[in-house]
Amino acid sequence: MATAASGPSHLSVTENQKRWLVAGIALNKILIPQIRPFVEQGIKTEYNNLKTSHNIDGQSTSGRLQRWPPRKVLKYENINGNGVHPKLGGRYNYALFDCRVTSHVDFARLYVENYMAKFNAFDDHCDASAVMALLGGVPVFSAAVQTAAGDVRMGRNDWAHCVFSKLDEAKFQQSFIEMEHLVKVMALPVADEGKLIAELKDWESKGNYLCVKMIIIFMICHKKWCDF
């Protein structure tokens, strides 16, 4: 028979940690999956426009679109296996690159850091950090959306780095305000916007209770397992 744990203290969580858990669920389970299709739609629109205006799907390396918008350097090292080519003097050797952008997914990958560019579709691999980078960088999205995405992204970074001390009640409420604001400025269809905001509000108001309930169930199961 296994020996029971000496005490439940290692299984307890603080109020900030509960809020961290709820905020993470709201961001990654509720917000991102529901806005991702609309982000993809915007990316497709921008990509198709650039195929017409800049021949981005057939461009040469020397004639590639280097910035779009002018302040944003496109990361061709993220597509077509370009990142494996040896660098020259610490810089990418663009002469070896294939810069043809043959899909809207590859177009999206030009806007994210290399470690984010592992997605091959707009699915779970295109995570919160990638979605926020796209909303904040691709010019098809309005200035209001870009600003709102930047705010959500900052909160997401605190969450991803598990900075529990920052998630007091005020910060918790602010994170939901920022997520809801992003939803509103994205100008989603009315039904989609209403559903998404309602679900976010549910997690904001009921999430801590659900987390406590899950923790209690886990502790009971853990004790039964230890006593087995």
Side-chain angles (χ1 to χ4, degrees):
M1 179 182 294
T3 303
S6 58
S9 61
H10 65 290
L11 297 176
S12 64
V13 293
T14 66
E15 291 302 312
N16 280 14
Q17 289 166 343
K18 292 174 191 174
R19 286 188 281 264
W20 172 84
L21 181 59
V22 173
I25 291 172
L27 174 67
N28 295 292
K29 180 181 183 294
I30 304 301
L31 178 66
I32 297 303
Q34 294 191 55
I35 67 172
R36 196 185 283 124
F38 299 101
V39 175
E40 181 176 17
Q41 183 179 344
I43 296 296
K44 280 183 177 178
T45 298
E46 191 77 347
Y47 172 65
N48 287 331
N49 287 341
L50 288 174
K51 284 201 297 182
T52 300
S53 63
H54 289 75
N55 191 35
I56 195 171
D57 56 327
Q59 65 187 351
S60 65
T61 299
S62 60
R64 71 188 183 280
L65 180 65
Q66 297 186 34
R67 297 170 181 266
W68 192 261
R71 70 179 185 279
K72 180 66 177 180
V73 177
L74 301 180
K75 298 180 180 296
Y76 287 96
E77 62 269 24
N78 289 344
I79 66 171
N80 299 332
N82 291 330
V84 303
H85 295 303
K87 295 182 179 181
L88 289 177
R91 296 176 178 271
Y92 287 110
N93 184 2
Y94 286 100
L96 301 176
F97 279 21
D98 175 0
C99 292
R100 292 171 296 176
V101 186
T102 57
S103 72
H104 71 285
V105 174
D106 275 355
F107 177 65
R109 293 168 70 196
L110 300 179
Y111 283 86
V112 301
E113 297 299 328
N114 181 260
Y115 65 87
M116 300 180 195
K118 310 305 179 186
F119 57 92
N120 295 310
F122 280 80
D123 55 16
D124 287 347
H125 296 285
C126 184
D127 63 8
S129 58
V131 168
M132 291 304 128
L134 294 172
L135 286 173
V138 183
V140 71
F141 302 112
S142 70
V145 169
Q146 292 181 17
T147 299
D151 291 338
V152 173
R153 188 178 186 182
M154 288 181 63
R156 178 263 167 203
N157 289 344
D158 286 341
W159 173 84
H161 297 145
C162 300
V163 186
F164 298 127
S165 61
K166 289 189 176 182
L167 259 175
D168 57 16
E169 182 63 29
K171 179 63 177 177
F172 177 75
Q173 292 177 359
Q174 184 63 28
S175 69
F176 278 88
I177 289 171
E178 290 167 352
M179 286 189 282
E180 290 174 19
H181 178 62
L182 174 60
V183 172
K184 291 175 181 177
V185 297
M186 285 185 69
L188 306 178
V190 173
D192 294 286
E193 178 183 310
K195 175 179 179 292
L196 181 46
I197 288 180
E199 290 181 8
L200 288 172
K201 287 187 180 298
D202 270 350
W203 273 99
E204 181 182 10
S205 61
K206 304 171 186 175
N208 275 359
Y209 167 75
L210 293 174
C211 287
V212 169
K213 190 174 180 180
M214 287 187 288
I215 290 167
I216 291 172
I217 292 171
F218 172 77
M219 291 176 70
I220 292 172
C221 292
H222 180 270
K223 185 177 187 304
K224 287 182 177 179
W225 179 82
C226 289
D227 289 341
F228 179 70

